Every structure is written in structure tokens, then in C-alpha cells.
Amino acid sequence: DPSVSAMRELVQRNFPAVDYGFAYGSGVFAQPHLYQAHQRLGTASGPMLDFIFVVTNPKAWHEQNLQQNPSHYSFLKYLGPSTLCAVADRIGVGVYFNTLVPVEGQVIKYGVISLAAFQQDLQHWSHLYVGGRTHKPVAALTQHAAAEAACQQNLQSALTASLLLLPKTSSLQDLFYRLASLSYMGDVRMRLAEDSKKVERIVTGSYDGFRQLYLPLLEKPLFQQLGVSADAEGLQQQDSHDYR
């Protein structure tokens, strides 16, 4: 799989600076049976590398990127960066995407979102788009205190919601399935165009990543006070209104 350092360097070489960024999806975290063994991740024959770039000022970032990478954009580039930002806000759940972009022999997709919109979605689930992406393991490319704080709040909210949707006793796999599926609940694409085994593939391919994200949270006083306990065998929740 592409290393975090290699992806970070690719972004640094080819794009204006970002405040916070991460890579996600099947091009970063291998999903079983999704592609053939000879298909290299991030190439035309395999899954794209997917990125989210969080920036303080999207208009200024697009202005610079339009000069640096004009071929990445559709005809909307002729309408200017203000239009790109308006499209993101009014149509694109706060994110403007360029997709199927060739960069250094790789095929990538990248979305640009303001720091304010990123925090809003992670803290309040206004769209549950980038919020849903970060319920699952991602490969962080940079450090940013405010963005990372929003990510932690988002993980805690996802864990709380998932526990409420699970029975008194469940396995860790059940928990991770529920966490991975939160952002797809009610999404008609999961019954039509999307891979019906998408959630299963995500959890199977990133099982250790889910453990690293959520097991430390389960040990925090908040969840202990809510009557939740976890071990290698699974989860136990106190079946009482005092807790639930």
C-alpha cells in the first residue's frame, strides 16, 4: 500500500499547501476481493488514491491551484475560484472535487473543503460527508490541532450512536460494521449502484485500524460511566435506563 510519507510528499510536490489533509478509501486501505493482485493501488488499473484537503481559505487555495494545475478542473475553472467555492457550498456538501486526475503516474481524486465547513460537519454532522469518511480509518498527511480535535469529537459521536444501535452484547466486528455503515444509512445508492458488500470490505480491510481508533475511546471514563465494557471477546452494555 502507498506509505503515508510517500503520499504526503506527492501532495507537497504537486499542490499548494494545505492546513490538514488525509487520504482514505480503497486506494489506501486494501479491501479484499475488490481488485486483482496485479493491479497496483493508485494506478489506472486499480483504485484511485482519494484525498481530502482542508484549507482555511478555499478561494485563495483554488486561485493558486488553478495556476499550478489548470488541467485538473472542469469547464468551471473559467468561472473562477468564487464559483468553485459556491458549487462546493451549494451542491457539493462543502467539498469541491477534482477526479480522475493523473499525478506522477498515479490516478487520484481530491476534495477541497474549508476548515470551518470541515469542523461543522464533524462536530454537528451537518452533511455527514467528511464526517462519515472520518468514522473510518484514514491516513493523516499533516497535523492540525483544531482539525484533529474535531476528528476526535466525531469519533466519539460515532461510537455513541453505534452503541445505541447495538444490542446489550455484541462483537467488536458488529461494532465496526455499525460504525462503518453510519454514513450510508438511508443512502439509496447502497441498494442500487454501490457495492452491496462495501461495508464488509471496509471493515475487513481496516479491522486493525478500527481497533486503534475506537478501543482507546471505549476505555475513557465517559463510556465506562455509561456502563460499556470491551475486551477481546466483544462488548457488554448495561441494559438499564440509568445508562442507556
Side-chain angles (χ1 to χ4, degrees):
D1 294 4
S3 70
V4 173
S5 60
M7 291 186 292
R8 181 186 301 116
E9 291 166 5
L10 181 144
V11 170
Q12 290 173 342
R13 284 193 301 269
N14 291 280
F15 296 97
V18 302
D19 294 289
Y20 181 70
F22 62 86
Y24 67 96
S26 59
V28 182
F29 301 96
Q31 297 178 17
H33 312 301
L34 185 60
Y35 33 77
Q36 301 299 317
H38 69 276
Q39 294 177 317
R40 189 166 65 87
L41 301 181
T43 66
S45 64
M48 288 188 296
L49 291 178
D50 293 336
F51 297 98
I52 293 291
F53 299 153
V54 182
V55 299
T56 303
N57 187 334
K59 181 181 176 183
W61 192 93
H62 283 299
E63 286 177 346
Q64 188 173 349
N65 198 47
L66 281 165
Q67 295 180 355
Q68 188 170 337
N69 297 302
S71 63
H72 294 185
Y73 291 83
S74 70
F75 71 93
L76 291 174
K77 65 186 175 186
Y78 299 111
L79 303 179
S82 294
T83 297
L84 300 178
C85 294
V87 168
D89 292 338
R90 297 174 188 173
I91 302 173
V93 294
V95 189
Y96 184 89
F97 273 103
N98 286 326
T99 188
L100 294 174
V101 176
V103 176
E104 297 186 7
Q106 312 242 18
V107 178
I108 75 169
K109 175 178 73 177
Y110 62 94
V112 182
I113 184 172
S114 72
L115 176 60
F118 181 79
Q119 291 172 300
Q120 175 73 17
D121 198 31
L122 269 66
Q123 293 172 336
H124 303 288
W125 290 7
S126 51
H127 298 294
L128 201 55
Y129 188 81
V130 287
R133 294 292 183 274
T134 50
H135 289 167
K136 310 163 189 71
V138 301
L141 306 177
T142 60
Q143 294 182 324
H144 188 282
E148 290 168 358
C151 287
Q152 282 302 305
Q153 183 174 338
N154 184 45
L155 292 175
Q156 183 170 298
S157 298
L159 180 55
T160 302
S162 296
L163 289 170
L164 289 170
L165 294 169
L166 287 170
K168 178 181 176 180
T169 301
S170 57
S171 67
L172 290 180
Q173 186 176 58
D174 291 335
L175 172 63
F176 299 157
Y177 271 50
R178 180 58 65 186
L179 286 160
S181 66
L182 277 178
S183 61
Y184 301 124
M185 294 175 68
D187 190 338
V188 69
R189 294 176 303 168
M190 292 302 291
R191 298 183 182 180
L192 299 175
E194 288 279 5
D195 179 1
S196 62
K197 294 188 176 181
K198 185 171 186 175
V199 170
E200 179 182 344
R201 294 187 199 280
I202 290 171
V203 173
T204 302
S206 300
Y207 191 86
D208 288 341
F210 277 98
R211 287 177 58 90
Q212 292 169 14
L213 283 177
Y214 290 103
L215 291 190
L217 282 179
L218 285 167
E219 296 175 358
K220 288 196 169 186
L222 170 65
F223 293 101
Q224 300 292 316
Q225 293 166 8
L226 290 174
V228 180
S229 59
D231 56 29
E233 301 301 318
L235 293 170
Q236 291 284 337
Q237 300 188 69
Q238 295 293 330
D239 190 15
S240 166
H241 290 295
D242 293 337
Y243 292 100
R244 306 274 284 182

